[in-house]
Amino acid sequence: YPLVLLHGAIMLPPLKYLILPSLGRSYWSVILPPLLIAYGIVGILFFSWRHFLRTGAFRQGIDEILMKLPGIGKLVKGLSLARVMRSLASLNNAGVEPVRAARQAALTAGNAAITWRLSGALTVLERGGTFADYFTFTGVLPSIKLGVVAVGEETGTLPESLERMVVQME
Protein backbone atom coordinates (compact mmCIF):
# COMPACT_ATOMS: atom_id res chain seq x y z
CA TYR A 1 0.00 0.00 0.00
CA PRO A 2 2.75 2.56 0.76
CA LEU A 3 4.35 1.81 -2.62
CA VAL A 4 1.05 2.42 -4.39
CA LEU A 5 0.73 5.77 -2.64
CA LEU A 6 4.32 6.71 -3.47
CA HIS A 7 3.85 5.85 -7.13
CA GLY A 8 0.55 7.73 -7.17
CA ALA A 9 2.21 10.84 -5.76
CA ILE A 10 5.00 10.70 -8.32
CA MET A 11 3.18 9.43 -11.40
CA LEU A 12 -0.08 11.35 -11.15
CA PRO A 13 0.77 14.93 -12.04
CA PRO A 14 -1.12 17.82 -10.54
CA LEU A 15 -4.37 18.75 -12.24
CA LYS A 16 -2.94 21.80 -14.03
CA TYR A 17 -0.44 19.58 -15.86
CA LEU A 18 -3.23 17.37 -17.12
CA ILE A 19 -5.16 20.37 -18.49
CA LEU A 20 -2.31 22.25 -20.17
CA PRO A 21 -0.57 20.03 -22.72
CA SER A 22 2.64 22.06 -22.94
CA LEU A 23 3.22 21.79 -19.19
CA GLY A 24 2.44 18.07 -19.25
CA ARG A 25 5.27 17.36 -21.66
CA SER A 26 7.75 19.29 -19.52
CA TYR A 27 6.57 17.42 -16.42
CA TRP A 28 7.31 14.04 -17.96
CA SER A 29 10.64 15.22 -19.39
CA VAL A 30 11.70 16.22 -15.88
CA ILE A 31 10.25 13.27 -13.94
CA LEU A 32 10.80 10.34 -16.32
CA PRO A 33 14.67 10.21 -16.39
CA PRO A 34 15.08 10.06 -12.57
CA LEU A 35 12.30 7.48 -12.36
CA LEU A 36 13.99 5.29 -14.98
CA ILE A 37 17.29 5.54 -13.12
CA ALA A 38 15.62 4.68 -9.79
CA TYR A 39 13.77 1.70 -11.30
CA GLY A 40 17.00 0.53 -12.94
CA ILE A 41 18.89 0.63 -9.64
CA VAL A 42 16.08 -1.22 -7.84
CA GLY A 43 15.99 -3.82 -10.63
CA ILE A 44 19.75 -4.39 -10.48
CA LEU A 45 19.66 -4.72 -6.68
CA PHE A 46 16.76 -7.18 -6.85
CA PHE A 47 18.48 -9.27 -9.53
CA SER A 48 21.74 -9.28 -7.56
CA TRP A 49 19.95 -10.34 -4.38
CA ARG A 50 18.03 -13.13 -6.12
CA HIS A 51 20.94 -14.60 -8.07
CA PHE A 52 24.20 -13.77 -6.33
CA LEU A 53 23.84 -12.61 -2.76
CA ARG A 54 21.43 -15.30 -1.53
CA THR A 55 23.89 -18.08 -2.33
CA GLY A 56 27.46 -19.00 -1.55
CA ALA A 57 29.83 -17.30 0.83
CA PHE A 58 27.79 -14.10 1.10
CA ARG A 59 24.74 -16.00 2.35
CA GLN A 60 26.90 -17.96 4.76
CA GLY A 61 28.39 -14.74 6.13
CA ILE A 62 24.96 -13.16 6.58
CA ASP A 63 23.74 -16.27 8.43
CA GLU A 64 26.82 -16.24 10.69
CA ILE A 65 26.13 -12.61 11.56
CA LEU A 66 22.46 -13.38 12.24
CA MET A 67 23.43 -16.16 14.65
CA LYS A 68 25.74 -13.80 16.57
CA LEU A 69 23.20 -11.00 16.99
CA PRO A 70 22.00 -10.51 20.54
CA GLY A 71 18.38 -11.48 21.03
CA ILE A 72 17.53 -13.09 17.70
CA GLY A 73 20.79 -14.99 17.19
CA LYS A 74 19.86 -17.71 19.65
CA LEU A 75 16.41 -17.98 18.07
CA VAL A 76 17.77 -18.25 14.52
CA LYS A 77 20.28 -20.91 15.52
CA GLY A 78 17.75 -22.83 17.62
CA LEU A 79 15.14 -22.98 14.88
CA SER A 80 17.69 -24.10 12.30
CA LEU A 81 19.01 -26.80 14.60
CA ALA A 82 15.47 -27.89 15.46
CA ARG A 83 14.80 -28.48 11.73
CA VAL A 84 18.02 -30.49 11.43
CA MET A 85 17.28 -32.58 14.53
CA ARG A 86 13.71 -33.33 13.46
CA SER A 87 14.90 -34.42 10.01
CA LEU A 88 17.71 -36.48 11.48
CA ALA A 89 15.31 -38.20 13.89
CA SER A 90 12.88 -39.03 11.07
CA LEU A 91 15.59 -40.30 8.75
CA ASN A 92 17.28 -42.32 11.49
CA ASN A 93 13.94 -43.78 12.54
CA ALA A 94 13.29 -44.76 8.90
CA GLY A 95 16.53 -46.75 8.83
CA VAL A 96 18.57 -44.45 6.58
CA GLU A 97 22.31 -44.95 6.98
CA PRO A 98 23.92 -42.35 9.30
CA VAL A 99 26.06 -40.52 6.73
CA ARG A 100 23.21 -40.14 4.26
CA ALA A 101 20.78 -39.14 7.05
CA ALA A 102 23.17 -36.48 8.33
CA ARG A 103 23.80 -35.16 4.82
CA GLN A 104 20.07 -34.86 4.09
CA ALA A 105 19.29 -33.41 7.52
CA ALA A 106 21.99 -30.74 7.12
CA LEU A 107 20.27 -29.50 3.97
CA THR A 108 17.05 -28.80 5.91
CA ALA A 109 18.65 -26.24 8.24
CA GLY A 110 17.63 -23.19 6.24
CA ASN A 111 20.85 -21.56 7.44
CA ALA A 112 23.89 -21.68 5.15
CA ALA A 113 26.38 -21.39 8.02
CA ILE A 114 24.95 -24.36 9.91
CA THR A 115 24.62 -26.40 6.71
CA TRP A 116 28.26 -25.68 5.91
CA ARG A 117 29.42 -26.74 9.39
CA LEU A 118 27.34 -29.91 9.39
CA SER A 119 28.36 -30.87 5.85
CA GLY A 120 32.02 -30.26 6.67
CA ALA A 121 31.87 -32.72 9.56
CA LEU A 122 30.44 -35.63 7.58
CA THR A 123 33.90 -37.21 7.48
CA VAL A 124 33.51 -38.01 11.19
CA LEU A 125 30.51 -40.21 10.39
CA GLU A 126 32.18 -41.66 7.29
CA ARG A 127 35.08 -42.83 9.47
CA GLY A 128 32.71 -44.65 11.82
CA GLY A 129 32.11 -41.95 14.40
CA THR A 130 28.90 -41.52 16.34
CA PHE A 131 26.39 -38.69 16.07
CA ALA A 132 27.73 -37.35 19.37
CA ASP A 133 31.21 -37.16 17.79
CA TYR A 134 29.73 -35.56 14.69
CA PHE A 135 27.94 -32.81 16.62
CA THR A 136 30.96 -32.28 18.87
CA PHE A 137 33.11 -31.71 15.79
CA THR A 138 30.64 -29.23 14.29
CA GLY A 139 30.38 -27.16 17.46
CA VAL A 140 26.74 -26.24 16.84
CA LEU A 141 25.20 -27.93 19.89
CA PRO A 142 25.77 -26.98 23.53
CA SER A 143 27.23 -29.63 25.82
CA ILE A 144 23.89 -30.50 27.46
CA LYS A 145 22.32 -31.30 24.09
CA LEU A 146 25.45 -33.26 23.11
CA GLY A 147 24.86 -35.37 26.22
CA VAL A 148 21.28 -36.04 25.12
CA VAL A 149 22.53 -37.23 21.73
CA ALA A 150 25.18 -39.44 23.33
CA VAL A 151 22.72 -41.02 25.78
CA GLY A 152 20.19 -41.55 22.98
CA GLU A 153 22.79 -43.39 20.93
CA GLU A 154 23.93 -45.55 23.85
CA THR A 155 20.40 -46.56 24.82
CA GLY A 156 19.14 -47.01 21.26
CA THR A 157 16.54 -44.27 21.61
CA LEU A 158 18.21 -41.62 19.43
CA PRO A 159 15.08 -40.66 17.42
CA GLU A 160 13.01 -40.21 20.58
CA SER A 161 15.80 -38.23 22.25
CA LEU A 162 16.13 -35.98 19.22
CA GLU A 163 12.35 -35.41 19.08
CA ARG A 164 12.29 -34.40 22.77
CA MET A 165 15.21 -32.06 22.13
CA VAL A 166 13.36 -30.51 19.17
CA VAL A 167 10.28 -29.87 21.29
CA GLN A 168 12.46 -28.17 23.90
CA MET A 169 14.31 -26.12 21.25
CA GLU A 170 11.13 -24.92 19.60
Side-chain angles (χ1 to χ4, degrees), residues 5 14 18 46-47 49 54 73 75 95 111-113 120 132-133 145:
L5 290 178
L18 294 174
F46 180 75
F47 177 79
W49 177 256
R54 284 182 43 192
L75 177 69
N111 185 314
D133 298 334
K145 290 184 174 53

Side-chain angles (χ1 to χ4, degrees), residues 16-67:
K16 67 179 180 179
Y17 293 126
L18 294 174
I19 296 170
L20 301 172
S22 62
L23 291 176
R25 279 178 284 183
S26 66
Y27 176 81
W28 291 112
S29 66
V30 170
I31 293 298
L32 195 57
L35 280 178
L36 290 176
I37 291 170
Y39 285 134
I41 290 171
V42 167
I44 288 170
L45 290 174
F46 180 75
F47 177 79
S48 298
W49 177 256
R50 291 282 293 175
H51 294 287
F52 300 116
L53 303 180
R54 284 182 43 192
T55 59
F58 186 81
R59 169 71 187 268
Q60 184 180 340
I62 293 292
D63 288 343
E64 285 283 349
I65 290 170
L66 283 175
M67 287 192 304

Side-chain angles (χ1 to χ4, degrees), residues 3 7 11 22 59 75-76 89 119 139 146:
L3 288 175
H7 281 86
M11 300 299 281
S22 62
R59 169 71 187 268
L75 177 69
V76 168
S119 298
L146 284 172

